[in-house]
């Protein structure tokens, strides 16, 4: 599942995975484990106020869009799905290679059109029933035959021909064409005996009956919209019982309030929206028992244009400015953005200047434009392109052939200070070119986004180790079936050249050749001007060291805690004062934290951080 953070911001899903297992032979790997690293001072046992149970409470800014893994697209939601349900495979926290999860091994036929997965026999649903290959087959078949069940992760099964379960421990997937992502199917497997009773999958949010039956490391026990999500440790989880008895995600609509709660000890971890601001991080460095964790992010921060909202059958809708249908206009806008200033002034160095669509954290797929291709800051060139496009200056305004001034709107997330700060810069820079800009900061940008009622938007996605999902959101097949419907499309891009490249990368098993095609796709996106990557923000988060003994980051050497490609952080977290060690077994990550104590939700302040659709598994519009 991809985690989207953005179009919502993209916090988000997705949701990129590093190289997939090539698929030449069956892989039977064991997941890497990690030993927690002590954080120094003698920590004290973290416990919930009443029950005596160890509770890890995480302050988050993003709300849940759905608890249904068939609909969830925000990073917050997809991260919870990873805790509730097992996937066929997972990603090793050290280097992102595919490791066993519900499937212990997977093997392709000689022509790579049939894949056979061995399903583990030691995984049970939380109601006591055995998890089997039939559950996996039912999950995939439901996505293949029910459009409502394919909203979040339908791209993973679009090439599936047939899925069967010859036995409880054998899953067979037949493909129409070779598919290189078969070791990276980011789809939560659900219990057939529970979900086959669901009627309309497009409307069922999985939030009516608790506890929710799952087979992941945690079981969801309670949920209140825009307030909290509570999960308890699954003591029968095959990989081992989590060390914390309970995990609580508390929603804060004001990030400053969340930081204040961390200082008071009311929460032990702050994820940010999607990251702490430089000022917040700086203010926390030096506070007793608080540590700021920072690592290279798995997401990008971008500007997305509205190239004309449309449905799969070509029906146009929305009210996007027609000027943005012109590539020269789009490129002119991007040529007048000073990325270095944004990195220095807004992110204050806690980000890397944006280039290709995939962050440098995933080096195999990272792409950079050539010197001739680069849309580097050049206001003079931007002005020339606008003249050529038919928008000359008349006084201090650019005017089209219809005599109307070139005025644009940009969607902004009300809870993201970076959106607001960058919006001010864009208004200044584009104003000097004669372009008007209205910055619309909303609590929920998904409403106008789905309706195509915008010109530009601050965008962002969490990228998975495998790039398939994040690339697939720009294909024609990702467009909505009906106007204003939820869909996996990011910003309504549909181009035959791009679609052909997408099909080629999906069918290419050679890692080097596939990476080359992926880079060609990024080059196309860059030149088109539909998307412009401004920055790759670092993951900046904070936690209390007196409430957590250790926790795993991803990558282990220097990575993030919240929004991982897996459940490693919360599953590995060890309460302060606990004598237990991280059962995962590998090297400890930078000793990190998380916290406790159930908190009162803070309702003050700006709007919710909303990530557009899933536009997550991969993570969000985070």
């Amino acid at each position: 599942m991809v985690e989207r953070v953005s179009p919502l911001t993209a916090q988000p899903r997705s949701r990129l995975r590093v190289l997939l297992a090539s698929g030449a032979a069956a892989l039977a790997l064991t997941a890497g484990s990690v030993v927690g690293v002590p954080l120094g001072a003698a920590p004290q046992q973290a416990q919930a106020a009443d029950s005596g149970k160890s509770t890890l409470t995480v302050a988050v800014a993003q709300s849940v869009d759905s608890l249904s893994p068939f609909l969830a697209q925000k990073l917050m939601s997809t991260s919870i799905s990873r805790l509730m349900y097992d996937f066929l495979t997972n990603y090793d926290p050290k280097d992102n290679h595919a490791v066993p999860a519900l499937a212990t091994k997977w093997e392709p036929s000689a022509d790579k059109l049939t894949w056979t997965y061995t399903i583990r026999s030691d995984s049970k649903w939380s109601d006591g029933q055995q998890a089997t290959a039939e559950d996996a087959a039912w999950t995939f078949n439901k996505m293949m035959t029910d459009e409502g069940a394919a909203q979040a992760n339908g791209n993973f099964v679009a090439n599936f021909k047939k899925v069967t379960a010859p036995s409880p421990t054998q899953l067979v997937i037949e493909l129409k064409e070779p598919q290189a992502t078969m070791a990276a199917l980011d789809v939560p497997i659900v219990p057939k005996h529970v979900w086959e009773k669901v009627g309309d999958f497009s409307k069922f949010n999985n939030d009516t009956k608790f506890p929710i039956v799952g087979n992941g490391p945690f079981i969801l026990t309670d949920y209140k919209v825009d307030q909290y999500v509570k999960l308890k440790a699954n003591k029968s989880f095959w990989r081992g019982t989590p060390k914390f008895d309970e995990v609580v995600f508390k929603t804060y609509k004001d990030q400053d309030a969340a930081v204040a709660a961390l200082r008071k000890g009311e929460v032990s971890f702050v994820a940010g929206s999607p990251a702490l601001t430089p000022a917040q991080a700086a203010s926390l460095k030096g506070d007793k028992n608080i540590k700021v964790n920072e690592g290279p992010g798995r997401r990008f921060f971008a500007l997305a244009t509205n190239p004309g909202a449309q449905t799969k059958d070509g029906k146009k809708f929305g009210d996007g400015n027609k000027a943005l249908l012109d590539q020269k206009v789009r490129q002119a806008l991007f040529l007048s953005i000073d990325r270095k200033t944004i990195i220095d002034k807004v992110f204050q160095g806690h980000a890397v200047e944006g280039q290709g669509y995939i962050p440098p954290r995933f080096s195999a797929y990272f792409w950079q434009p050539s010197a001739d291709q680069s849309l580097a800051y050049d206001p003079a060139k931007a002005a020339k392109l606008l003249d050529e496009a038919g928008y000359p200056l008349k006084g201090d305004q650019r005017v089209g052939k219809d005599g109307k001034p070139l005025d644009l709107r940009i969607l902004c997330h009300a809870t993201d200070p970076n959106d607001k700060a960058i919006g001010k810069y864009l208004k200044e820079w584009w104003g000097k070119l004669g372009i008007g800009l209205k910055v619309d900061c909303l609590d929920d940008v998904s409403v106008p986004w789905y309706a195509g009622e915008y010109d530009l938007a601050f965008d962002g996605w969490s990228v998975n180790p495998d790039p398939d999902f994040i690339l697939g959101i720009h294909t024609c097949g990702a467009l909505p079936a009906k106007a204003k419907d939820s869909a996996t499309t990011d910003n309504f891009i549909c181009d035959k050249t791009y679609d052909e490249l997408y099909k080629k990368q999906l069918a290419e098993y050679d890692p080097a050749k596939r990476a080359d095609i992926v880079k060609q796709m990024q080059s196309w996106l860059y030149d088109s001007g539909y998307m412009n990557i401004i920055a790759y923000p670092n993951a900046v988060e904070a936690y209390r060291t007196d409430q957590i003994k250790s926790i795993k980051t991803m990558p282990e050497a220097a990575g993030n805690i919240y929004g991982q490609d897996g459940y490693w952080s919360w599953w590995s977290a060890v309460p302060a004062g606990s004598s237990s060690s991280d059962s995962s077994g590998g090297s400890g990550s930078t000793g990190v934290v998380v916290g406790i104590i159930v908190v009162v939700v803070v309702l003050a302040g700006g709007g919710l951080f909303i990530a557009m659709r899933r536009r997550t598994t991969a993570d969000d519009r985070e």
Side-chain angles (χ1 to χ4, degrees):
M1 72 189 3
V2 159
E3 287 122 19
R4 174 188 250 151
V5 180
S6 164
L8 303 171
T9 253
Q11 194 184 332
R13 218 87 122 81
S14 340
R15 198 133 97 166
L16 53 335
R17 306 165 179 141
V18 162
L19 298 178
L20 296 166
S22 69
L27 296 179
L29 306 174
T30 57
S33 53
V34 176
V35 174
V37 177
L39 293 176
Q44 59 182 51
Q45 181 70 44
Q47 294 187 339
D50 309 350
S51 65
K53 295 181 179 179
S54 57
T55 300
L56 183 162
T57 300
V58 183
V60 295
Q62 193 179 53
S63 60
V64 170
D65 55 348
S66 178
L67 291 178
S68 166
F70 297 100
L71 303 177
Q73 296 183 15
K74 291 183 183 180
L75 180 62
M76 174 65 184
S77 308
T78 56
S79 295
I80 290 173
S81 288
R82 287 185 179 276
L83 300 180
M84 297 168 62
Y85 304 104
D86 218 351
F87 293 25
L88 289 181
T89 62
N90 206 330
Y91 301 102
D92 188 278
K94 294 179 182 179
D95 60 11
N96 289 324
H97 74 269
V99 295
L102 185 60
T104 59
K105 64 179 180 179
W106 44 98
E107 183 175 17
S109 58
D111 62 4
K112 296 184 174 63
L113 291 178
T114 300
W115 285 73
T116 301
Y117 298 79
T118 298
I119 303 302
R120 66 176 56 256
S121 58
D122 57 351
S123 177
K124 288 187 177 182
W125 298 110
S126 53
D127 62 1
Q129 292 201 35
Q130 183 72 29
T132 69
E134 181 59 29
D135 294 304
W138 186 88
T139 298
F140 291 128
N141 278 308
K142 174 55 65 172
M143 293 168 62
M144 293 164 62
T145 58
D146 187 330
E147 191 174 272
Q151 289 190 37
N153 299 302
N155 65 300
F156 288 112
V157 302
N159 184 47
F160 285 12
K161 180 180 180 180
K162 185 179 181 181
V163 182
T164 57
S167 76
T169 58
Q170 187 178 62
L171 175 72
V172 179
I173 300 178
E174 297 178 36
L175 305 172
K176 300 172 186 175
E177 301 289 341
Q179 181 169 325
T181 62
M182 298 306 287
L185 299 174
D186 284 337
V187 177
I189 303 303
V190 303
K192 174 185 176 182
H193 66 282
V194 173
W195 284 81
E196 63 184 354
K197 301 172 185 176
V198 175
D200 188 344
F201 275 69
S202 68
K203 297 179 180 179
F204 180 68
N205 284 314
N206 198 24
D207 57 2
T208 57
K209 184 178 181 180
F210 301 99
I212 295 176
V213 178
N215 66 338
F218 291 90
I219 301 166
L220 199 151
T221 59
D222 196 10
Y223 165 62
K224 295 296 182 185
V225 177
D226 291 343
Q227 294 186 46
Y228 61 79
V229 179
K230 295 182 180 181
L231 305 100
K232 69 177 182 179
N234 181 359
K235 295 183 179 180
S236 63
F237 183 52
W238 64 269
R239 197 184 289 276
T241 304
K243 308 303 183 301
F244 273 92
D245 297 312
E246 185 178 47
V247 173
V248 178
F249 293 93
K250 302 291 293 185
T251 303
Y252 280 77
K253 294 187 176 183
D254 184 322
Q255 187 163 296
D256 286 333
V259 171
L262 181 73
R263 281 201 173 93
K264 296 175 183 177
E266 295 174 334
V267 298
S268 289
F269 183 91
V270 176
S273 60
L276 295 179
T277 66
Q280 289 168 337
S283 72
L284 290 171
K285 287 181 176 177
D287 276 27
K288 184 180 180 181
N289 298 325
I290 292 180
K291 181 173 181 178
V292 175
N293 180 62
E294 180 168 1
R298 57 177 282 235
R299 62 178 296 266
F300 60 75
F301 181 91
L303 276 185
T305 64
N306 180 353
Q310 59 182 315
T311 59
K312 288 182 179 180
D313 60 5
K315 181 181 179 181
K316 305 293 183 181
F317 64 96
D319 61 1
N321 194 308
K322 298 296 189 294
L324 295 176
L325 298 179
D326 192 322
Q327 180 186 29
K328 289 184 177 180
V329 174
R330 299 192 298 268
Q331 291 186 336
L333 294 175
F334 299 148
L335 282 164
S336 54
I337 297 175
D338 187 347
R339 291 171 190 75
K340 187 177 187 305
T341 291
I342 291 175
I343 298 298
D344 293 343
K345 302 297 184 181
V346 178
F347 291 101
Q348 295 181 29
H350 297 276
V352 176
E353 190 172 331
Q355 299 182 78
Y357 198 60
I358 295 173
R361 170 168 166 171
F362 304 102
S363 58
Y365 299 109
F366 180 58
W367 171 88
Q368 297 173 283
S370 64
D372 293 339
Q373 185 180 20
S374 178
L375 295 174
Y377 184 54
D378 192 340
K381 186 175 180 180
K384 183 179 179 181
L385 283 178
L386 289 170
D387 288 338
E388 293 175 359
Y391 293 91
L393 265 178
K394 283 193 177 181
D396 59 357
Q397 287 188 318
R398 292 279 169 179
V399 178
K401 295 179 181 178
D402 57 4
K404 295 181 180 180
L406 182 54
D407 291 326
L408 302 173
R409 306 157 296 171
I410 186 168
L411 288 177
C412 155
H413 300 85
T415 55
D416 193 335
N418 291 334
D419 281 15
K420 296 177 182 178
I422 295 173
K424 292 180 180 179
Y425 277 110
L426 296 183
K427 196 165 187 175
E428 175 187 344
W429 293 331
W430 292 349
K432 291 178 179 179
L433 284 175
I435 300 172
L437 180 66
K438 179 183 179 183
V439 182
D440 292 326
C441 291
L442 308 173
D443 285 355
D444 187 352
V445 302
S446 64
V447 175
W449 201 311
Y450 284 129
E453 296 171 352
Y454 69 100
D455 300 325
L456 302 111
F458 288 112
D459 196 0
W461 284 85
S462 285
V463 180
N464 293 334
D466 186 89
D468 180 70
F469 183 92
I470 201 69
L471 297 173
I473 62 178
H474 293 314
T475 60
C476 299
L479 294 174
K482 298 178 181 179
K484 301 185 179 182
D485 269 6
S486 171
T488 53
T489 185
D490 187 34
N491 58 325
F492 306 103
I493 295 174
C494 178
D495 182 271
K496 291 182 179 180
T497 298
Y498 183 86
D499 273 24
E500 284 303 313
L501 287 172
Y502 175 77
K503 292 178 182 177
K504 285 181 64 178
Q505 68 81 27
L506 184 61
E508 182 54 69
Y509 282 90
D510 182 279
K513 291 180 179 178
R514 183 171 182 236
D516 182 64
I517 300 171
V518 169
K519 291 175 182 179
Q520 290 179 50
M521 297 174 73
Q522 294 180 77
S523 179
W524 184 93
L525 280 171
Y526 187 90
D527 290 340
S528 73
Y530 291 131
M531 293 284 297
N532 189 259
I533 311 302
I534 293 178
Y536 308 114
N538 290 347
V540 185
E541 47 205 359
Y543 56 87
R544 295 194 61 90
T545 57
D546 58 351
Q547 296 177 357
I548 267 298
K549 184 177 183 179
S550 64
I551 193 172
K552 185 183 301 184
T553 62
M554 185 177 185
E556 289 178 3
N560 56 293
I561 299 166
Y562 178 76
Q564 295 181 358
D565 297 299
Y567 44 67
W568 307 112
S569 56
W570 316 128
W571 172 74
S572 69
V574 178
S578 171
S579 60
S580 64
S581 61
D582 188 338
S583 65
S584 61
S587 61
S589 356
T590 175
V592 180
V593 13
V594 263
I596 37 192
I597 302 185
V598 178
V599 192
V600 177
V601 178
V602 177
L603 299 176
L608 251 268
F609 168 61
I610 278 208
M612 198 162 122
R613 314 140 232 142
R614 166 192 255 320
R615 243 289 29 21
T616 128
T617 206
D619 276 69
D620 328 302
R621 282 148 193 351
E622 321 148 44

